[in-house]
Amino acid sequence: MQRLAKKWQRAGTRIGLVPTMGYLHAGHLSLVQRARQAIGQRGVVVVSIYVNPTQFGPQEDFSRYPRDLKRDLKLCRDAGVDVVFTPGDGEMYPRWGEAPDEPAREDARPTSGFSTYVVEEKLSQGMEGAARPTHFRGVTTVVAKLFNLIQPEVAMFGQKDFQQAAIIKRMVADLNFPVRIVVAPTRREPDGLAMSSRNKYLVGDLRRQATILWCAIQMARATVKKSRTFPAVKLTAAVKKLVACEPDARLDYVEFFEPDTLAPVAEVRRGTQMALAVFVGRTRLVDNAQL
Ligand code: PAF
């Protein structure tokens, strides 16, 4: 991949990257479209597909995360993607002294021979960082690796993972990666549910209950519209109560904060960013919006 990227760069070919964990949906495909717009018809759009083990906690859904490479490749081809990069664990997290294609020992974790990480220390403290302590370390590390491998001029991320996008922008600025980060709006289902590969887990009534995240955002928006400013603690309590109306939903957190700094606010007003995580059955969903 790196050799190819260097060849493209020598030829003056512009590179746009859409990093994904696969099981692609319309949200990913809109990022592909934006990447194409950004680099033009003569540039190359690369989609990376890699379910990154280091961003999953030990009790999380790494092993059951949805995967369907054949379907993803067809979607990429139809969307005009030039290259799909699908590395294996042995290439991304080399086990020292072993060939990359050598099968791992049964008991070995995919990352057992890897010991260098990229860590953002401020923006990753709250929300997803507090709920999933090693998550962002895994994200920044794998994204830094993808930037080094693919050397894109522009890389696209979805706004659904608002905190992730903020952290990646900070990492790029702090470490001088020569890449422009574009954050594209969240794509939603007709009933407001944010598109996500994990929506596949939502079967039967859980799919209906999952719209509670969007309902909570709408409620917060209506409150701000009516009251101009509103205490964050009161709005937090209202969201908690609303989520509790669904039998299988449990609020993990809701936060109201400044979109640029991610600093929590005491008073919610127009322009405040809201983010929440909710378990619907065993599935943990996240969403966010500017109020
Ligand atoms: O947002 C995602 O799908 C992942 O966190 C990313 C950026 C591809 C890193 O694995």
Side-chain angles (χ1 to χ4, degrees), residues 20-47:
T20 81
M21 297 206 299
Y23 211 73
L24 304 180
H25 51 68
H28 293 117
L29 300 178
S30 75
L31 298 182
V32 168
Q33 243 176 31
R34 279 171 183 262
R36 173 63 67 202
Q37 281 162 7
I39 54 145
Q41 289 308 323
R42 302 172 76 153
V44 286
V45 174
V46 180
V47 168

Side-chain angles (χ1 to χ4, degrees), residues 254-267:
V254 58
E255 291 266 351
F256 301 95
F257 55 95
E258 297 293 352
D260 295 335
T261 58
L262 311 192
V265 296
E267 288 291 320

Side-chain angles (χ1 to χ4, degrees), residues 17 19-20 48 50 85 87 92 141-152:
L17 169 65
T20 81
S48 64
Y50 179 59
F85 177 53
M92 290 303 270
T141 300
V142 83
V143 171
K145 286 169 71 67
L146 291 169
F147 288 170
N148 284 334
L149 287 163
I150 300 164
Q151 305 183 12

Side-chain angles (χ1 to χ4, degrees), residues 61-95:
D61 57 342
F62 172 66
S63 54
R64 63 186 191 107
Y65 192 85
R67 294 160 167 91
D68 189 342
L69 186 58
K70 204 169 152 197
R71 175 178 164 278
D72 287 347
L73 291 178
K74 176 160 180 4
L75 287 171
C76 284
R77 180 163 305 164
D78 294 348
V81 171
D82 297 292
V83 168
V84 182
F85 177 53
T86 61
D89 291 332
E91 289 158 304
M92 290 303 270
Y93 296 103
R95 297 180 301 277

